[in-house]
Amino acid sequence: MAELFVELLGEEIPARMQKAAEKQLADAVTGGLIELGLLDKAEAAQENAMQSWSGPRRLAVSVTGVAVMQPDLSEEKRGPRVDAPDQAIEGFLKSAGISRDQAETRSLPKGDFLFAVISRKGRAATDVVPGMLSGILAGFNWPKSMRWHRSTRGWIRPLHRVSVLFDGKPLSGSFDLGGDMAISFGDKTVGHRMLAPGEISLTGGADYPALLEAQYVMASRQQRIDDIRHQLESRAESMGLKLRADDGLLDEVAGLVEYPHAVIGTIDDDFMALPVEILVTTMRSHQKYFAFEIASENTGENTGDTHPGQLAPCFATIANMTPDEARDATIRSGNERVLRARLADARFFWEQDRADGLDAMAGKLSQITFFDKLGTMADKAVRIAGLAGFMADALGEDSALATRAGSLAKADLVSQTVGEFPEVQGIIGGYLAEAAEGGDVAAAIASHYRPEGPADAIPETRLGQIVALADKIDTLVGFFGIGSIPTGSKDPFALRRAALGVIRMVIEDSTILRLNAVFAHAARQHGFDAAPDTLMPFLHDRLKVWMRDRGIRHDIVAAVIRGDDAPHSKVGETKAGDTDDRSDDLLHLYRLAETLASFLATDDGKGLMAGYTRAANILAAEEKKDKTRFNAVVDESLLKEDEEAALFAAIAALGGQPVSSTDDAIARMQALGGLRAVIDAFFDVVTVNHDDAAIRLNRLNLLGQVRGAMVEIADFSAIENG
C-alpha cells in the first residue's frame, strides 16, 4: 500500500472559498481512487486514512492505503435479444467495447440474448492516477474563476504548481490549461512568500505540516485558528480585557494568513462615543480587526468610567509575519491611521443621520423598490405597521406602539450609515429612535430582523417580536401571493428562514397566535383576494423539520400536523377549517406533540395505542366491506355486555364539548389514558361481529366513538408501533 499526496500552489484563494475547496479536492481524490479500484471504501473511512489542508495559497490532500496496482476486473453485461433492431445491438456493442463476434448468445426463458463478457487487466496506479487527477482539476468547481496568459481553462486565481507524490516519489503527469499552457506535476513547493520564498522538496503528507512550519507556513487551518485565538486571548488577559467573540471573523482571518502574528493598536477616544455596532463593523468588515471588551474584573491599567462588556479602545490586527518590534510598530501605526480615517467617515455619516431623524428617512422609502409586484419599501412599511397593529390587538398589546414601530422599522435603510455599513440595518434605526420614540419602540426596531439564522436569538421584547413577525409574515404572504415560492434547494428570497423565524418566535415566547387570521389580514393589505392556500402547508413543513430536529419522533409530528387526507373527528367528523381546528396555532401543535410523545412513553399510552390499533383495524376492514363509516350514535339498549356498557360510559365521561384549546387537548389526552383498561376488557369479552346485525352495527359504532375521541386529539393512525 502507498500514499498519494497532492498539493496545489497558486495565488491567494479567497478566504470564504478555502474550506469548500479543501473538501472538494479531498472528496474527489478519495472518490477517484475508489472508482479506479485503488482504494477500499472501508479503508478510506479509517481515521487518518485521509488528511487535507487549505490556506491562502495552497490546497493539499494525502490519502494512505492506496494500492499500487488495480485488481483484474471481469464483468458481464446483458444486452438486447439477438433479433433486436440493428441500432440497439450496435449501441450495446459500442458501450461494451466489443465486436459482434465477441458477444455471447445465451438462451433465457424470454428468448436468446446477447452477453458481453469483459475482462480487463489491472493497471499500475502510476499509469492511471495522473489522468484521474487531471480530470479532477479540469472539472474543479469554483464559484468564480479566471483565465490568465493564454490559458483557456479557468481557476480561482493563477495556479503555479501541481505537486504529486505517489509512495513518496514524484508522479509524472500534467494539468492542461489550454492555449498551449500546461503545468507539469512536480515535487517542489515554496514556503512563506516573504519569509521563506525558496523552493523546498516535498516528501508526503506525514512530514508536510512540519516541513511547511519550518518555512513559516501553518498548513492546518485549525492550527491557525487556534493560534490566533490563543494570541488574542493572551494579549487581552495581559491588558485586563477580554476578546469580543467573533468566530466568523476568526475563521475568515485564518484564511488570509499563513503565519499569524497579533499586533495591538489603539482607537482614539474621540470615536468611542459612536454606537458600538458602528465601531465593530468598521473594524470587522473593512479591516478584519478584532475588538476587545472591558473584562468583569479589570486587572490591567485601563482607568476611567468603564463597565464590564463595554468596548475597549483598542483592536488587534493579524499580520502575516513573525514578531519584530520595529516592524510591529510600523504595522500598528499604519493600521491606526487607516482606522482613524474609516471612523471619521463613520462618525460623519452617523451625525448626519442623527440630524435627519427617522421620520425624514421614512419619507424617502418610496425611492427604494422592495420587489416587483410587491411595491416599494414605503409600501412595505405601511403593511408592517398595519399588520403589527393587528397582531398587537390580538395579543392584548399596545397597538399604537406596534404600529409606530412598524412604520419606522425600515426607515434606516436610506440612512448614510446603513448605506456604508449594511450589516447594521435595523440596529441604527433603534439608536435613532431611542431619544425620539422611547426604549420600547427603539428596541423593537433594532431587533425586528431577528432571528436571522438558527443561532440567532429571537427579539427580547414582545413588541420586537410583533414587529419582526409582521415583517416576516408580510414577506411570506407577498411572495407566495405572486407565486415566487421556494422550489427544491432554491430559495432566493430566504422564505424558509423567514418561516423558521415565525415558528421560533411563536413557540419560544409561548405566543398563542391564530395565523389564518393574520395571513388573511396581510393578504388584504397586499390587495390579494385571500391568503395563499400554499402558505400554511409550507409553515407546517418547516415546523415538522424544526420539531424533528428537537428530537420529536417523525410519526408523532405527523400525527399532530395532519395532511389533508388524514382523519379528523369530533366524535363525528370535524374537518380542518372548522371553528375548533387549531392547525394554524403553531404553539398548540408543538405543545400537543410534546405531550403526545410523553403520553405514548407511559404504560397507559402504550396500552391505549394497542387498543386503538386493534379497534382501527377492525373498523377499517368492516368499513371497506360495508362501504360506510361507523360513527353513528350508539343505542344503549343494545349494549348486552357489561364491558361494552363500561366502554360506552367511559367515552361519555370524556364529555361532548369540542376540544378548542391546547389545555383542552392535553386534558383530553390524559383522560384517554383511562380508556386503556376498559378497551382491554372490551376486547377480552366482546365479539364485535355479532350474529345479530343490529348488535354488530352498534358495537362498530361504539368502536367508531373510541376512534373519534382519539382522532380529535391527533391522527393516531400515523403512530408507528414499537
Side-chain angles (χ1 to χ4, degrees):
M1 295 297 178
E3 177 208 33
L4 174 64
F5 174 83
V6 181
E7 186 205 56
L8 311 177
L9 178 74
E11 298 297 324
E12 276 71 9
I13 304 168
R16 68 184 185 279
M17 300 181 187
Q18 291 169 21
K19 284 196 293 186
E22 176 186 339
K23 184 178 187 304
Q24 183 181 172
L25 179 64
D27 290 348
V29 170
T30 303
L33 291 171
I34 292 172
E35 188 174 340
L36 289 173
L38 296 171
L39 182 66
D40 182 75
K41 281 187 179 180
E43 184 75 23
Q46 295 295 316
E47 188 175 359
N48 297 325
M50 186 277 292
Q51 290 181 284
S52 60
W53 302 268
S54 63
R57 301 176 63 205
R58 63 196 83 220
L59 302 173
V61 62
S62 165
V63 184
T64 57
V66 181
V68 297
M69 288 287 297
Q70 289 179 310
D72 295 339
L73 298 177
S74 180
E75 62 175 326
E76 291 186 355
K77 285 186 177 182
R78 192 178 92 168
R81 292 165 57 106
V82 294
D83 57 353
D86 291 343
Q87 188 175 1
I89 292 175
E90 289 300 322
F92 166 67
L93 297 174
K94 184 177 181 180
S95 67
I98 62 173
S99 60
R100 180 65 178 83
D101 57 354
Q102 292 174 311
E104 295 183 9
T105 300
R106 298 181 188 175
S107 295
L108 298 177
K110 293 186 177 181
D112 293 339
F113 288 81
L114 295 175
F115 278 79
V117 180
I118 305 168
S119 297
R120 186 178 296 117
K121 192 74 174 173
R123 299 172 63 191
T126 52
D127 292 336
V128 295
V129 167
M132 176 200 78
L133 291 176
S134 295
I136 289 172
L137 299 182
F140 209 84
N141 182 31
W142 292 104
K144 294 181 180 180
S145 61
M146 62 177 292
R147 296 187 293 274
W148 62 98
H149 296 306
R150 302 183 309 278
S151 67
T152 58
R153 194 181 299 283
W155 198 255
I156 182 62
R157 295 290 186 272
L159 187 62
H160 294 173
R161 298 171 183 261
V162 179
S163 299
V164 184
L165 301 176
F166 187 78
D167 202 16
K169 301 179 182 62
L171 190 63
S172 297
S174 64
F175 174 37
D176 184 8
L177 292 168
D180 296 326
M181 289 181 64
I183 299 176
S184 297
F185 296 171
D187 64 343
K188 302 288 193 299
T189 191
V190 295
H192 192 284
R193 188 187 293 277
M194 290 169 285
L195 300 174
E199 203 171 62
I200 52 177
S201 296
L202 293 164
T203 57
D207 301 329
Y208 184 64
L211 181 68
L212 285 188
E213 186 137 16
Q215 305 300 316
Y216 304 102
V217 174
M218 292 184 186
S220 165
R221 166 178 290 275
Q222 191 58 50
Q223 182 188 2
R224 296 194 301 276
I225 290 173
D226 293 342
D227 186 76
I228 294 170
R229 181 185 284 112
H230 174 72
Q231 289 189 51
L232 294 174
E233 289 178 346
S234 297
R235 299 296 294 275
E237 185 177 359
S238 70
M239 296 185 293
L241 305 174
K242 68 174 183 178
L243 176 66
R244 185 182 176 95
D246 194 335
D247 289 342
L249 180 60
L250 190 61
D251 188 66
E252 182 179 7
V253 172
L256 298 174
V257 296
E258 291 189 313
Y259 204 74
H261 167 54
V263 177
I264 307 299
T266 59
I267 305 171
D268 290 355
D269 289 340
D270 291 348
F271 298 118
M272 295 306 296
L274 285 169
V276 62
E277 290 84 1
I278 294 179
L279 285 165
V280 171
T281 303
T282 301
M283 293 191 289
R284 186 189 196 281
S285 299
H286 291 292
Q287 306 304 128
K288 313 303 177 190
Y289 296 161
F290 291 89
F292 296 95
E293 297 175 347
I294 305 299
S296 56
E297 294 182 3
N298 194 328
T299 58
E301 299 179 358
N302 292 307
T303 59
D305 184 16
T306 63
H307 58 82
Q310 178 183 339
L311 201 68
C314 58
F315 66 92
T317 184
I318 306 300
N320 190 26
M321 296 296 288
T322 53
D324 178 271
E325 189 173 340
R327 185 168 56 216
D328 288 356
T330 302
I331 293 171
R332 179 181 303 109
S333 175
N335 281 279
E336 288 175 345
R337 186 169 59 251
V338 171
L339 181 59
R340 194 176 301 119
R342 290 281 191 187
L343 289 177
D345 289 343
R347 181 171 58 187
F348 172 79
F349 296 141
W350 171 240
E351 290 175 350
Q352 286 292 110
D353 290 337
R354 290 177 68 187
D356 291 342
L358 278 182
D359 280 308
M361 294 177 191
K364 300 176 183 177
L365 286 175
S366 58
Q367 300 170 10
I368 305 175
T369 299
F370 171 56
F371 192 75
D372 187 32
K373 298 181 183 179
L374 295 179
T376 66
M377 272 296 175
D379 298 324
K380 182 169 179 63
V382 170
R383 295 195 300 266
I384 292 174
L387 194 56
F390 176 82
M391 286 190 291
D393 273 336
L395 297 172
E397 301 292 334
D398 190 326
S399 62
L401 278 182
T403 301
R404 179 64 173 162
S407 68
L408 296 176
K410 301 298 182 183
D412 69 355
L413 291 177
V414 299
S415 70
Q416 296 188 60
T417 305
V418 171
E420 182 70 10
F421 308 111
E423 302 92 335
V424 296
Q425 58 187 272
I427 295 171
I428 293 303
Y431 277 112
L432 293 172
E434 198 160 6
E437 305 294 335
D440 291 341
V441 171
I445 293 172
S447 63
H448 84 276
Y449 286 102
R450 292 164 51 186
E452 296 188 67
D456 192 20
I458 66 172
E460 295 177 0
T461 67
R462 176 56 70 93
L463 186 62
Q465 293 161 18
I466 288 172
V467 177
L469 283 166
D471 183 21
K472 291 172 174 57
I473 290 173
D474 173 77
T475 296
L476 287 165
V477 171
F479 279 105
F480 270 76
I482 63 173
S484 296
I485 63 178
T487 55
S489 61
K490 295 181 180 180
D491 186 11
F493 309 115
L495 300 183
R496 292 188 180 97
R497 186 172 67 188
L500 285 172
V502 171
I503 289 166
R504 285 188 55 199
M505 283 187 281
V506 167
I507 293 175
E508 291 180 22
D509 198 57
S510 300
T511 301
I512 300 173
L513 187 65
R514 304 305 297 267
L515 288 177
N516 281 336
V518 177
F519 290 167
H521 188 83
R524 287 193 294 272
Q525 293 192 142
H526 276 284
F528 302 151
D529 292 335
D533 57 10
T534 53
L535 181 52
M536 189 58 73
F538 177 77
L539 262 291
H540 284 163
D541 286 343
R542 296 300 95 208
L543 180 58
K544 289 176 184 177
V545 173
W546 190 83
M547 288 201 289
R548 289 198 295 263
D549 287 345
R550 276 146 191 79
I552 300 177
R553 282 170 24 195
H554 71 92
D555 56 333
I556 291 175
V557 172
V560 170
I561 305 177
R562 319 182 197 203
D564 290 339
D565 56 346
H568 298 263
S569 177
K570 188 175 59 182
V571 193
E573 298 292 318
T574 299
K575 297 297 182 183
D578 283 0
T579 55
D580 61 345
D581 172 51
R582 301 190 68 85
S583 62
D584 66 333
D585 183 347
L586 304 185
L587 179 63
H588 168 78
L589 296 175
Y590 177 65
R591 287 183 59 197
L592 192 61
E594 282 193 315
T595 304
L596 181 58
S598 299
F599 175 67
L600 292 177
T602 66
D603 289 340
D604 278 348
K606 293 173 184 176
L608 180 63
M609 191 64 220
Y612 168 81
T613 301
R614 188 171 179 183
N617 288 341
I618 292 172
L619 287 168
E622 299 307 309
E623 285 173 344
K624 182 178 180 180
K625 182 168 63 177
D626 290 12
K627 295 183 175 56
T628 188
R629 186 167 178 83
F630 297 111
N631 56 11
V633 175
V634 173
D635 185 346
E636 291 186 65
S637 67
L638 294 176
L639 300 175
K640 301 301 182 184
E641 305 287 350
D642 291 343
E643 288 76 11
E644 60 181 323
L647 179 56
F648 175 77
I651 293 293
L654 292 176
Q657 294 300 315
V659 174
S660 57
S661 72
T662 307
D663 290 339
D664 286 347
I666 291 173
R668 178 66 61 85
M669 193 181 304
Q670 293 167 344
L672 284 172
L675 290 180
R676 176 194 177 187
V678 291
I679 290 176
D680 288 346
F682 175 88
F683 282 120
D684 286 343
V685 174
V686 176
T687 300
V688 175
N689 284 319
H690 195 276
D691 292 339
D692 186 314
I695 294 176
R696 169 183 174 273
L697 177 61
N698 203 53
R699 289 174 176 175
L700 287 171
N701 283 329
L702 179 58
L703 291 184
Q705 289 198 355
V706 172
R707 176 180 61 189
M710 295 181 67
V711 170
E712 185 177 10
I713 305 301
D715 177 14
F716 281 82
S717 67
I719 303 296
E720 298 175 358
N721 293 327

mmCIF file of all heavy atoms in Angstrom, residues 641-664:
data_model
loop_
_atom_site.group_PDB
_atom_site.id
_atom_site.type_symbol
_atom_site.label_atom_id
_atom_site.label_comp_id
_atom_site.label_asym_id
_atom_site.label_seq_id
_atom_site.Cartn_x
_atom_site.Cartn_y
_atom_site.Cartn_z
ATOM 1 N N GLU A 641 -73.273 -6.562 26.943
ATOM 2 C CA GLU A 641 -72.237 -6.994 27.873
ATOM 3 C C GLU A 641 -71.844 -5.842 28.789
ATOM 4 O O GLU A 641 -71.875 -4.668 28.394
ATOM 5 C CB GLU A 641 -70.995 -7.479 27.110
ATOM 6 C CG GLU A 641 -71.265 -8.566 26.090
ATOM 7 C CD GLU A 641 -71.565 -9.909 26.756
ATOM 8 O OE1 GLU A 641 -71.366 -10.018 27.982
ATOM 9 O OE2 GLU A 641 -72.016 -10.823 26.055
ATOM 10 N N ASP A 642 -71.493 -6.181 30.025
ATOM 11 C CA ASP A 642 -71.068 -5.148 30.968
ATOM 12 C C ASP A 642 -69.858 -4.376 30.439
ATOM 13 O O ASP A 642 -69.739 -3.161 30.655
ATOM 14 C CB ASP A 642 -70.707 -5.774 32.319
ATOM 15 C CG ASP A 642 -71.930 -6.330 33.045
ATOM 16 O OD1 ASP A 642 -73.056 -5.952 32.666
ATOM 17 O OD2 ASP A 642 -71.739 -7.138 33.975
ATOM 18 N N GLU A 643 -68.969 -5.087 29.736
ATOM 19 C CA GLU A 643 -67.734 -4.463 29.271
ATOM 20 C C GLU A 643 -67.998 -3.424 28.178
ATOM 21 O O GLU A 643 -67.324 -2.391 28.126
ATOM 22 C CB GLU A 643 -66.758 -5.535 28.758
ATOM 23 C CG GLU A 643 -66.142 -6.396 29.843
ATOM 24 C CD GLU A 643 -67.109 -7.444 30.391
ATOM 25 O OE1 GLU A 643 -68.202 -7.642 29.768
ATOM 26 O OE2 GLU A 643 -66.788 -8.072 31.407
ATOM 27 N N GLU A 644 -69.002 -3.691 27.308
ATOM 28 C CA GLU A 644 -69.293 -2.684 26.284
ATOM 29 C C GLU A 644 -70.043 -1.510 26.888
ATOM 30 O O GLU A 644 -69.869 -0.363 26.479
ATOM 31 C CB GLU A 644 -70.046 -3.291 25.101
ATOM 32 C CG GLU A 644 -71.394 -3.909 25.437
ATOM 33 C CD GLU A 644 -72.065 -4.526 24.201
ATOM 34 O OE1 GLU A 644 -71.929 -3.947 23.098
ATOM 35 O OE2 GLU A 644 -72.703 -5.597 24.355
ATOM 36 N N ALA A 645 -70.845 -1.776 27.908
ATOM 37 C CA ALA A 645 -71.514 -0.678 28.603
ATOM 38 C C ALA A 645 -70.495 0.199 29.332
ATOM 39 O O ALA A 645 -70.616 1.434 29.374
ATOM 40 C CB ALA A 645 -72.533 -1.237 29.596
ATOM 41 N N ALA A 646 -69.465 -0.463 29.900
ATOM 42 C CA ALA A 646 -68.419 0.298 30.604
ATOM 43 C C ALA A 646 -67.627 1.162 29.624
ATOM 44 O O ALA A 646 -67.269 2.308 29.938
ATOM 45 C CB ALA A 646 -67.482 -0.668 31.325
ATOM 46 N N LEU A 647 -67.365 0.637 28.433
ATOM 47 C CA LEU A 647 -66.630 1.421 27.428
ATOM 48 C C LEU A 647 -67.471 2.605 26.968
ATOM 49 O O LEU A 647 -66.966 3.727 26.823
ATOM 50 C CB LEU A 647 -66.263 0.532 26.235
ATOM 51 C CG LEU A 647 -65.502 1.225 25.093
ATOM 52 C CD1 LEU A 647 -64.219 1.886 25.597
ATOM 53 C CD2 LEU A 647 -65.188 0.227 23.970
ATOM 54 N N PHE A 648 -68.773 2.372 26.773
ATOM 55 C CA PHE A 648 -69.662 3.461 26.376
ATOM 56 C C PHE A 648 -69.681 4.555 27.447
ATOM 57 O O PHE A 648 -69.624 5.751 27.145
ATOM 58 C CB PHE A 648 -71.075 2.916 26.144
ATOM 59 C CG PHE A 648 -72.088 3.987 25.853
ATOM 60 C CD1 PHE A 648 -72.144 4.590 24.596
ATOM 61 C CD2 PHE A 648 -72.981 4.415 26.838
ATOM 62 C CE1 PHE A 648 -73.074 5.591 24.338
ATOM 63 C CE2 PHE A 648 -73.908 5.413 26.578
ATOM 64 C CZ PHE A 648 -73.961 6.003 25.325
ATOM 65 N N ALA A 649 -69.738 4.154 28.714
ATOM 66 C CA ALA A 649 -69.767 5.123 29.809
ATOM 67 C C ALA A 649 -68.461 5.910 29.881
ATOM 68 O O ALA A 649 -68.455 7.117 30.149
ATOM 69 C CB ALA A 649 -70.028 4.400 31.132
ATOM 70 N N ALA A 650 -67.360 5.216 29.628
ATOM 71 C CA ALA A 650 -66.056 5.886 29.677
ATOM 72 C C ALA A 650 -65.933 6.923 28.563
ATOM 73 O O ALA A 650 -65.393 8.019 28.771
ATOM 74 C CB ALA A 650 -64.939 4.858 29.559
ATOM 75 N N ILE A 651 -66.443 6.609 27.380
ATOM 76 C CA ILE A 651 -66.415 7.569 26.271
ATOM 77 C C ILE A 651 -67.305 8.763 26.603
ATOM 78 O O ILE A 651 -66.936 9.925 26.388
ATOM 79 C CB ILE A 651 -66.894 6.907 24.961
ATOM 80 C CG1 ILE A 651 -65.897 5.831 24.511
ATOM 81 C CG2 ILE A 651 -67.064 7.959 23.863
ATOM 82 C CD1 ILE A 651 -64.563 6.363 24.078
ATOM 83 N N ALA A 652 -68.474 8.477 27.161
ATOM 84 C CA ALA A 652 -69.402 9.560 27.511
ATOM 85 C C ALA A 652 -68.800 10.468 28.574
ATOM 86 O O ALA A 652 -69.018 11.685 28.576
ATOM 87 C CB ALA A 652 -70.723 8.975 27.996
ATOM 88 N N ALA A 653 -68.012 9.863 29.488
ATOM 89 C CA ALA A 653 -67.414 10.644 30.577
ATOM 90 C C ALA A 653 -66.369 11.627 30.071
ATOM 91 O O ALA A 653 -66.023 12.586 30.776
ATOM 92 C CB ALA A 653 -66.784 9.707 31.603
ATOM 93 N N LEU A 654 -65.867 11.404 28.869
ATOM 94 C CA LEU A 654 -64.889 12.335 28.310
ATOM 95 C C LEU A 654 -65.520 13.691 28.026
ATOM 96 O O LEU A 654 -64.825 14.703 27.927
ATOM 97 C CB LEU A 654 -64.290 11.773 27.015
ATOM 98 C CG LEU A 654 -63.403 10.528 27.167
ATOM 99 C CD1 LEU A 654 -62.966 10.036 25.789
ATOM 100 C CD2 LEU A 654 -62.194 10.818 28.033
ATOM 101 N N GLY A 655 -66.823 13.720 27.853
ATOM 102 C CA GLY A 655 -67.519 14.985 27.598
ATOM 103 C C GLY A 655 -67.745 15.191 26.123
ATOM 104 O O GLY A 655 -66.948 14.796 25.285
ATOM 105 N N GLY A 656 -68.824 15.842 25.818
ATOM 106 C CA GLY A 656 -69.174 16.060 24.414
ATOM 107 C C GLY A 656 -68.697 17.373 23.852
ATOM 108 O O GLY A 656 -68.935 17.676 22.685
ATOM 109 N N GLN A 657 -68.048 18.204 24.718
ATOM 110 C CA GLN A 657 -67.619 19.504 24.231
ATOM 111 C C GLN A 657 -66.421 19.355 23.293
ATOM 112 O O GLN A 657 -65.538 18.531 23.521
ATOM 113 C CB GLN A 657 -67.230 20.406 25.414
ATOM 114 C CG GLN A 657 -68.393 20.766 26.324
ATOM 115 C CD GLN A 657 -69.478 21.507 25.560
ATOM 116 O OE1 GLN A 657 -69.191 22.423 24.779
ATOM 117 N NE2 GLN A 657 -70.720 21.087 25.762
ATOM 118 N N PRO A 658 -66.350 20.162 22.226
ATOM 119 C CA PRO A 658 -65.216 20.070 21.312
ATOM 120 C C PRO A 658 -63.931 20.529 21.983
ATOM 121 O O PRO A 658 -63.944 21.338 22.909
ATOM 122 C CB PRO A 658 -65.595 21.015 20.164
ATOM 123 C CG PRO A 658 -66.551 21.988 20.772
ATOM 124 C CD PRO A 658 -67.316 21.199 21.799
ATOM 125 N N VAL A 659 -62.830 19.996 21.524
ATOM 126 C CA VAL A 659 -61.513 20.402 22.017
ATOM 127 C C VAL A 659 -61.159 21.713 21.338
ATOM 128 O O VAL A 659 -60.897 21.758 20.137
ATOM 129 C CB VAL A 659 -60.452 19.326 21.700
ATOM 130 C CG1 VAL A 659 -59.071 19.825 22.071
ATOM 131 C CG2 VAL A 659 -60.778 18.046 22.457
ATOM 132 N N SER A 660 -61.169 22.813 22.087
ATOM 133 C CA SER A 660 -60.993 24.126 21.470
ATOM 134 C C SER A 660 -59.758 24.859 21.947
ATOM 135 O O SER A 660 -59.546 26.013 21.575
ATOM 136 C CB SER A 660 -62.234 24.995 21.727
ATOM 137 O OG SER A 660 -62.469 25.115 23.116
ATOM 138 N N SER A 661 -58.945 24.235 22.777
ATOM 139 C CA SER A 661 -57.711 24.876 23.220
ATOM 140 C C SER A 661 -56.664 23.807 23.459
ATOM 141 O O SER A 661 -56.976 22.610 23.538
ATOM 142 C CB SER A 661 -57.942 25.672 24.508
ATOM 143 O OG SER A 661 -58.129 24.799 25.603
ATOM 144 N N THR A 662 -55.422 24.247 23.604
ATOM 145 C CA THR A 662 -54.337 23.305 23.870
ATOM 146 C C THR A 662 -54.558 22.619 25.201
ATOM 147 O O THR A 662 -54.357 21.402 25.327
ATOM 148 C CB THR A 662 -52.994 24.038 23.872
ATOM 149 O OG1 THR A 662 -52.869 24.785 22.664
ATOM 150 C CG2 THR A 662 -51.841 23.054 23.960
ATOM 151 N N ASP A 663 -54.964 23.368 26.207
ATOM 152 C CA ASP A 663 -55.202 22.766 27.517
ATOM 153 C C ASP A 663 -56.316 21.729 27.446
ATOM 154 O O ASP A 663 -56.246 20.685 28.110
ATOM 155 C CB ASP A 663 -55.543 23.850 28.536
ATOM 156 C CG ASP A 663 -54.346 24.738 28.869
ATOM 157 O OD1 ASP A 663 -53.203 24.289 28.638
ATOM 158 O OD2 ASP A 663 -54.560 25.871 29.330
ATOM 159 N N ASP A 664 -57.368 22.010 26.638
ATOM 160 C CA ASP A 664 -58.436 21.023 26.433
ATOM 161 C C ASP A 664 -57.862 19.738 25.849
ATOM 162 O O ASP A 664 -58.204 18.628 26.277
ATOM 163 C CB ASP A 664 -59.496 21.560 25.467
ATOM 164 C CG ASP A 664 -60.385 22.617 26.107
ATOM 165 O OD1 ASP A 664 -60.349 22.749 27.338
ATOM 166 O OD2 ASP A 664 -61.091 23.313 25.351
#
